[in-house]
Amino acid sequence: MKQNLFVYNTLTRKKEEFKPLNPPHVGMYVCGPTVYSDAHMGNSRTYISFDLIFRYLNHLGYKVRYVRNITDAGHLEGDADEGEDKISKKAKLAQLEPMEIVQKYTVGFHEVMELLNILPPSIEPTATGHVIEQIELVKEILKSGYAYEVDGSVYFDVEKYSSSHDYGILNGRNLEDLLNNTRNLGGQQDKKGKLDFALWIKAKPEHLMKWPSPWSVGFPGWHLECSAMSNKYLGGQFDIHGGGLDLVPTHHTNEIAQNMASCGKMPANYWLHTNMLTVNGQKMSKSLGNSFLPHELFSGNNSILNKAYSPMTVRFFMLQAHYRSTLDFGNEAMEASEKGFKRLMNAFDLLDDLKASNSTDVEIKPLLNRCYEAMNDDFNSPVLIAELFEASRIINSVYDGKLKIDEYNLQLLKQLMKSFVLDVLGLKDEQAAGDDLPQLLNFIVNLRNEAKSNQDYATSDKIRDGLQKIGFQLKDTKEGTNWTKI
């Protein structure tokens, strides 16, 4: 039973039934990283969340075209229209070509995504690879009358646009509030209004990354690239647009304005946003000195947490919180997640050893339905994980002989665990690497059995206790001794 899927739409501020424009096809665009530095934990949280969404839509049978861009030009310091390009600045400091910086951090980003078992998107376009499309989009917006040129730069006229459109439709704020809360920035003299933003910026002589255009040799504004690339690969209107909550006030608001001005359509029907990260209750930020990078978390080389945590533990930890809730890092929370992840995967590893009976003490169908209910309620992974722990309890009870399960329910249980643990949550058993491990452990178990048969209980207990210390538990049964990871 696969009930209807409901998602929380930032645009309408409520949960809505998900109805794709062209089922079974789904178009999804998620704003990707600006590759001038290492991928940070906020990136990881956002892309794990949308990986969950991508995986679940695929699981439901949708054919998803997932577009996630790489910003390799046009993103200026302070996320505004002034200052230096983030990538160019890094290139000058390192005395490298900008594309060397782009390559280095794109490769690093992909490595982190792979460690976290995040599936690659269907298309991963770059801003520099779509300058022509961005120039054409600026032409369309100029033609519609919602932009103006000043000395080789082109700006979007927000106040003119607001006379016939709701500029604050996504962030829920009216134009007067936005104007009153916008500070004057340097270089605003060319703009008609405080909220106007650059579509094309005339490059200064020292600017490294620039292209010819009808207006000047320059570069596109940061907001423009996502509109141009989503339009090219998903059309003027598509199903889902996603990103971090911090993109709502400006970046996504401006994307909507650009799309409406160029083709008269709201770019996406559903806008989904992930919430922020905190550390011990404080917002994670470099200025507070409480931020760390994924590889610092994996290696334990950080001053916040007591120990290193594996990529799958981190993924599991993030999935234990709903993507729209804040996620708080702390030692106790991470340690609890590590234990929970091991408990879940230990139960998963027992699946193939379960034996069916002629009768059953447990019905799996209601549990399976609850797993779908959780995910169909705006991808509620914490509730799903709670249901998977119930499945784990059943697995352990069947394995220990405390519950009987017939063949039909056993197959349903296996389907449930494999579908939701592996395919939907994207978890994998990190300790299963190495084909020699089972043989090695079986050899050690046999040595212990020999010691027991020789009544050498001191050695037998030493082997058992030693294995337990490094994470393996022995269990003596009528059929022999089994081992499991703990």
Side-chain angles (χ1 to χ4, degrees):
M1 179 183 174
K2 300 179 183 178
Q3 306 90 349
N4 294 338
L5 170 63
F6 285 80
V7 303
Y8 182 86
N9 192 351
T10 307
L11 191 67
T12 59
R13 293 160 193 79
K14 64 183 181 182
K15 287 181 188 175
E16 299 176 351
E17 186 177 348
F18 179 63
K19 295 180 179 178
L21 287 165
N22 184 29
H25 301 280
V26 170
M28 181 167 77
Y29 188 94
V30 175
C31 293
T34 301
V35 283
Y36 72 102
S37 63
D38 290 309
H40 54 74
M41 292 309 301
N43 292 142
S44 300
R45 203 272 169 100
T46 294
Y47 303 131
I48 284 173
S49 298
F50 283 99
D51 185 58
L52 173 76
I53 291 166
F54 181 38
R55 285 170 177 273
Y56 188 61
L57 291 171
N58 282 326
H59 174 75
L60 292 179
Y62 290 112
K63 300 181 186 303
V64 186
R65 178 178 287 178
Y66 176 16
V67 183
R68 188 186 68 207
N69 70 298
I70 294 284
T71 297
D72 57 354
H75 195 167
L76 304 186
E77 296 172 283
D79 300 343
D81 297 334
E82 292 299 315
E84 202 167 353
D85 183 292
K86 293 183 177 185
I87 290 162
S88 292
K89 182 178 181 180
K90 191 69 170 265
K92 286 177 185 175
L93 289 170
Q95 295 185 310
L96 296 169
E97 282 289 327
M99 284 299 120
E100 287 181 272
I101 296 296
V102 166
Q103 179 69 5
K104 175 184 176 180
Y105 291 112
T106 300
V107 168
F109 170 71
H110 287 151
E111 285 173 352
V112 170
M113 296 299 101
E114 189 173 346
L115 282 170
L116 291 167
N117 203 26
I118 294 170
L119 297 173
S122 316
I123 303 172
E124 193 172 50
T126 63
T128 56
H130 295 78
V131 174
I132 291 171
E133 288 84 354
Q134 293 176 79
I135 289 171
E136 291 303 309
L137 187 58
V138 176
K139 289 179 183 177
E140 289 300 315
I141 297 172
L142 279 165
K143 196 186 298 182
S144 72
Y146 292 117
Y148 56 92
E149 180 194 348
V150 179
D151 191 28
S153 291
V154 182
Y155 298 99
F156 191 95
D157 192 332
V158 171
E159 287 192 51
K160 184 173 181 182
Y161 173 81
S162 296
S163 65
S164 53
H165 300 83
D166 183 0
Y167 176 66
I169 190 170
L170 188 66
N171 59 34
R173 299 176 69 187
N174 62 43
L175 189 68
E176 190 177 338
D177 285 343
L178 290 167
L179 284 167
N180 290 337
N181 287 286
T182 300
R183 60 192 176 92
N184 283 311
L185 299 169
Q188 288 270 20
Q189 63 271 16
D190 290 343
K191 299 179 183 180
K192 291 181 181 178
K194 285 199 296 183
L195 293 173
D196 295 358
F197 57 91
L199 300 172
W200 186 266
I201 302 170
K202 182 181 179 179
K204 294 174 181 177
E206 66 272 16
H207 198 90
L208 295 178
M209 304 173 80
K210 50 197 173 188
W211 294 264
S213 79
W215 314 285
S216 64
V217 173
F219 53 95
W222 172 41
H223 312 300
L224 193 70
E225 62 174 286
C226 289
S227 291
M229 290 187 280
S230 65
N231 220 297
K232 175 166 184 173
Y233 296 111
L234 299 174
Q237 193 167 33
F238 51 95
D239 297 301
I240 296 171
H241 197 315
L245 198 60
D246 58 315
L247 297 178
V248 171
T250 306
H251 186 56
H252 286 172
T253 288
N254 290 347
E255 275 191 68
I256 289 173
Q258 289 167 164
N259 218 69
M260 292 295 293
S262 60
C263 65
K265 294 178 180 177
M266 172 66 66
N269 285 346
Y270 304 91
W271 292 77
L272 278 59
H273 294 94
T274 56
N275 213 323
M276 67 177 181
L277 299 178
T278 58
V279 179
N280 297 320
Q282 280 191 306
K283 184 179 178 181
M284 182 184 284
S285 70
K286 288 181 182 177
S287 60
L288 291 172
N290 67 351
S291 67
F292 44 83
L293 298 170
H295 65 79
E296 293 171 334
L297 184 54
F298 303 152
S299 66
N301 185 25
N302 67 80
S303 59
I304 310 295
L305 301 174
N306 292 336
K307 54 180 276 193
Y309 291 96
S310 71
M312 280 303 97
T313 297
V314 174
R315 183 181 177 102
F316 182 74
F317 167 70
M318 290 191 171
L319 291 170
Q320 279 189 297
H322 191 270
Y323 76 91
R324 286 194 292 112
S325 66
T326 54
L327 177 63
D328 189 55
F329 275 91
N331 284 301
E332 286 185 17
M334 288 301 300
E335 285 173 15
S337 283
E338 185 176 57
K339 289 175 184 172
F341 173 65
K342 286 180 179 177
R343 186 154 54 98
L344 181 64
M345 297 314 293
N346 285 345
F348 185 89
D349 288 345
L350 294 176
L351 273 175
D352 290 335
D353 295 327
L354 299 186
K355 301 288 189 293
S357 303
N358 293 327
S359 60
T360 189
D361 297 324
V362 60
E363 296 290 337
I364 301 301
K365 193 69 180 288
L367 179 59
L368 181 63
N369 288 342
R370 293 199 301 273
C371 289
Y372 280 110
E373 283 171 9
M375 285 303 291
N376 286 332
D377 181 17
D378 193 30
F379 313 102
N380 201 326
S381 56
V383 173
L384 170 63
I385 288 170
E387 298 295 352
L388 292 176
F389 278 131
E390 171 61 14
S392 300
R393 184 193 66 77
I394 292 168
I395 291 168
N396 288 321
S397 295
V398 172
Y399 184 80
D400 292 339
K402 295 174 183 174
L403 281 179
K404 291 179 181 177
I405 191 167
D406 61 16
E407 186 63 33
Y408 170 76
N409 280 289
L410 177 56
Q411 292 307 316
L412 210 56
L413 182 59
K414 288 182 178 181
Q415 176 198 326
L416 181 156
M417 290 294 283
K418 288 174 181 176
S419 293
F420 285 100
V421 174
L422 303 182
D423 299 342
V424 174
L425 293 180
L427 298 170
K428 59 182 181 180
D429 194 343
E430 293 164 309
Q431 295 183 47
D435 294 336
D436 296 334
L437 181 62
Q439 289 175 278
L440 179 61
L441 281 162
N442 289 336
F443 175 71
I444 294 170
V445 166
N446 287 336
L447 287 178
R448 176 176 175 266
N449 288 340
E450 283 179 25
K452 278 179 72 179
S453 64
N454 293 329
Q455 297 186 339
D456 183 0
Y457 298 116
T459 300
S460 168
D461 291 346
K462 190 175 182 180
I463 292 171
R464 182 198 62 209
D465 296 342
L467 285 173
Q468 185 150 6
K469 282 179 183 175
I470 61 170
F472 295 92
Q473 185 172 44
L474 299 185
K475 185 165 188 175
D476 295 316
T477 68
K478 292 177 183 177
E479 288 77 26
T481 304
N482 298 317
W483 59 265
T484 55
K485 294 186 290 298
I486 54 176

